[in-house]
Amino acid sequence: MNGDTPAREFEIIERVFRRASGRPDVILGIGDDAAVTRLSAGHELVTATDALVCGTHFATDAPPHSVGYRSLAVNLSDLAAMGAEPHWASLAISLPAADDDWLESFALGFFELADKFDVDLIGGDTVCGPLAITVTVQGSVPEGAAVTRMGAQAGDGIYVTGHPGDAVAGRLLLEGELSGGHDADADSFLTRRFLYPEPRIAEGLALRDVATAMIDVSDGLHADLTHLLTASGAGAELDVSQLPLSGELLELVGESQASKFALCGGDDYELCFTAPADKAEAVAKLAEAVGYPIRRIGTVAAAGKIDWQLHGRHYEVPAAGFRHFG
Ligand code: ADP
Ligand code: MG
């Protein structure tokens, strides 16, 4: 660690981050100048990187276990959105001081999720500086099988997994910008949805042969769907009343605010995808298998406007951030 003794950096890596490799495709993991891994024949490498900066992406007092979990989760979500199977991660961490308790808890959260998806931490960097975490994940798809943002076709259904909007409510509850409801369990459900997003890896894999285009929802459903439609050169007709809002969110803020949270909130890490009519059955089967809704919210249209409707009338998606919903 720059500004710290090299021995201390090595000690942190050895004690906190180096573990026996569980994957046969890791030829050389942590400890050398670079890692060496093997990609299966007939597969393509899929790589994503996301940085989390303290004060911007997580609060100074955020539980380190959640920071560790989230730093990997947001990256795995990007692989999920490509229909990729995750294999390896590397972790660059900048720390103002080597706080052993913080690091150990961070690592527990990180490895909890890594183990869930059989992801090996194969390298990284540990430096002294403002608290920030940059994770790179790598995975694979069979040749040509990656699902991009570009394939949506007019007439395709537009779907979203799970319950968008929960995470921003959880975040606002944590920040004290939203008062808790009478149901403490519902409040902690919502804060967990922010602190511990579930990357939809299995769903992404199952959607490889179903989705024509896919994106993960990190900036709010409306913004991310707009990215997908723009990349596909398409427009859409959408129904606000079809948003799959959770009971917990509806109970806390009511339907009108809940819809705004779902459309503009962000941090959901759900998947938004398009699929042709003859795949509707496959989507329904997947929803049954995962045990939560995968809701059709609209239809892809020819290039042009993205038209949200509510009860037969145009619905103007709020342009301001969620903080200004009043
Ligand atoms: P170098 O100076 O050659 O870049 P380092 O001393 O930075 O090597 O790192 C030594 C080994 O520890 C490398 O394999 C590197 O990938 C790994 N490493 C360093 N920091 C981390 C970390 N935070 N998480 C995982 N592996 C790390
Ligand atoms: Mg280094």
Side-chain angles (χ1 to χ4, degrees), residues 282-307:
V283 176
K285 283 220 173 88
L286 178 60
E288 214 169 282
V290 296
Y292 60 79
I294 301 179
R295 183 76 61 78
R296 180 165 177 174
I297 55 170
T299 305
V300 179
K305 59 184 190 311
I306 298 168
D307 183 25

Side-chain angles (χ1 to χ4, degrees), residues 132-206:
I133 294 119
T134 303
V135 173
T136 297
V137 289
Q138 293 185 301
S140 69
V141 290
E143 272 169 16
V147 185
T148 69
R149 300 176 178 184
M150 294 178 282
Q153 300 287 326
D156 285 356
I158 300 172
Y159 298 85
V160 65
T161 64
H163 300 290
D166 288 354
V168 72
R171 177 174 172 174
L172 293 174
L173 282 169
L174 286 165
E175 291 174 355
E177 294 206 20
L178 195 62
S179 315
H182 53 81
D183 183 351
D185 287 348
D187 291 352
S188 74
F189 168 84
L190 293 170
T191 54
R192 269 195 72 82
R193 293 270 290 151
F194 173 71
L195 293 172
Y196 293 96
E198 279 297 311
R200 303 301 194 186
I201 292 291
E203 295 80 347
L205 293 176

